[in-house]
């Protein structure tokens, strides 16, 4: 296991590059912060704290996605890193990537919509009003989309960059 350590410049003992390792790890933080933010707004009515957590995590995610896309398109050949996986040749790695993209592509658009309408239609500091019903309708798919993006991303990372041939 340890011979793989830092092999591709990443910090996890896998075949992941530094950017893949970073996003894999950061998604744990994002999911925990999102769960805390939803708990805060539902159970403790900390509306403004919820607002700022969502704006900051949305901005951090946007920057991460841009850095990740630039890295994947111009610097890291993820297929070369995934090739030693027992799931690469049969196409399972690619299928898991497409399932991941099903969530990862629409979710940022949902987030932008929920944040922009929230900022425009809720008062400052944030509090429930006539926009609440619409916010709840769109915010849940946005939140579940982010959880599923993380979950399917971890599965893809495992199949592509962790699994080793027996
Ligand atoms: C992608 C970003 C966001 C997500 C995923 C999100 C998610 C949620 C969720 C799941 C709830 C609980 C809904 C329920 O009780 O069923 C909620 C409530 C609320 N959110 Fe957000 N939110 C986001 C951004 C924002 C922003 C930017 C603001 C303010 C500008 C905001 C203000 C509120 C308020 C005031 C409530 C309470 C609504 C009520 O109970 O009447 N949210 N949000």
């Amino acid at each position: 296991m340890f011979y793989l350590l830092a092999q591709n410049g990443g910090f996890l003992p896998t075949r992941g590059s530094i950017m893949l390792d970073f996003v894999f790890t950061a998604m744990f933080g994002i999911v925990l912060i999102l769960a805390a933010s939803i708990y805060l707004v539902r159970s403790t009515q900390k509306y403004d704290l919820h607002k700022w957590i969502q704006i900051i995590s949305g901005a951090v995610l946007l920057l991460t996605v841009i850095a990740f896309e630039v890295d994947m398109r111009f610097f890291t050949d993820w297929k070369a890193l995934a090739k030693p996986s027992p799931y690469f040749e049969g196409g399972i790695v690619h299928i898991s990537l497409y399932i991941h993209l099903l969530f990862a592509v629409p979710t940022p658009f949902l987030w932008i919509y929920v944040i922009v309408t929230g900022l425009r239609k809720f008062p400052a500091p944030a509090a429930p009003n006539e926009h609440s019903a619409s916010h709840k309708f769109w915010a849940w798919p946005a939140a579940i989309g982010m959880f599923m993006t993380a979950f399917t991303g971890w599965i893809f990372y495992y199949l592509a960059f962790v699994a080793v041939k027996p």
Side-chain angles (χ1 to χ4, degrees):
M1 194 66 171
F2 289 107
Y3 71 97
L4 287 168
L5 193 64
Q7 176 172 275
N8 306 299
F11 54 85
L12 296 174
T14 66
R15 293 184 294 275
S17 64
I18 189 150
M19 204 59 207
L20 283 159
D21 288 1
F22 175 74
V23 175
F24 175 84
T25 314
M27 288 315 282
F28 286 96
I30 289 291
V31 161
L32 287 175
I33 290 167
L34 178 57
S37 175
I38 294 173
Y39 169 79
L40 281 172
V41 81
R42 278 175 67 91
S43 304
T44 68
Q45 286 84 44
K46 295 224 163 39
Y47 304 114
D48 217 48
L49 189 55
H50 164 75
K51 165 183 165 174
W52 285 108
I53 292 173
Q54 292 313 123
I55 292 171
I56 292 165
S57 50
V60 170
L61 270 166
L62 200 63
L63 292 177
T64 308
V65 168
I66 292 168
F68 185 72
E69 280 301 311
V70 169
D71 184 47
M72 286 303 122
R73 273 173 217 286
F74 302 110
F75 299 105
T76 300
D77 183 1
W78 76 265
K79 286 183 190 149
L81 300 177
K83 219 161 189 148
S85 164
Y87 302 105
F88 189 81
E89 295 301 332
I92 293 176
V93 164
H94 280 84
I95 292 169
S96 76
L97 175 61
Y98 290 130
I99 294 173
H100 171 61
L101 293 178
L102 230 55
F103 296 99
V105 172
T107 300
F109 293 102
L110 276 173
W111 271 57
I112 290 168
Y113 177 76
V114 170
I115 291 176
V116 170
T117 52
L119 286 175
R120 288 180 54 198
K121 296 186 173 171
F122 280 127
N129 66 3
E130 60 282 0
H131 178 59
S132 291
S134 162
H135 184 72
K136 287 179 189 177
F137 182 83
W138 290 105
W140 276 112
I144 292 165
M146 190 55 73
F147 283 120
M148 289 305 292
T149 299
F151 185 62
T152 55
W154 292 326
I155 294 173
F156 167 67
Y157 183 95
Y158 171 79
L159 293 172
F161 311 116
V162 182
V164 280
K165 285 183 180 138

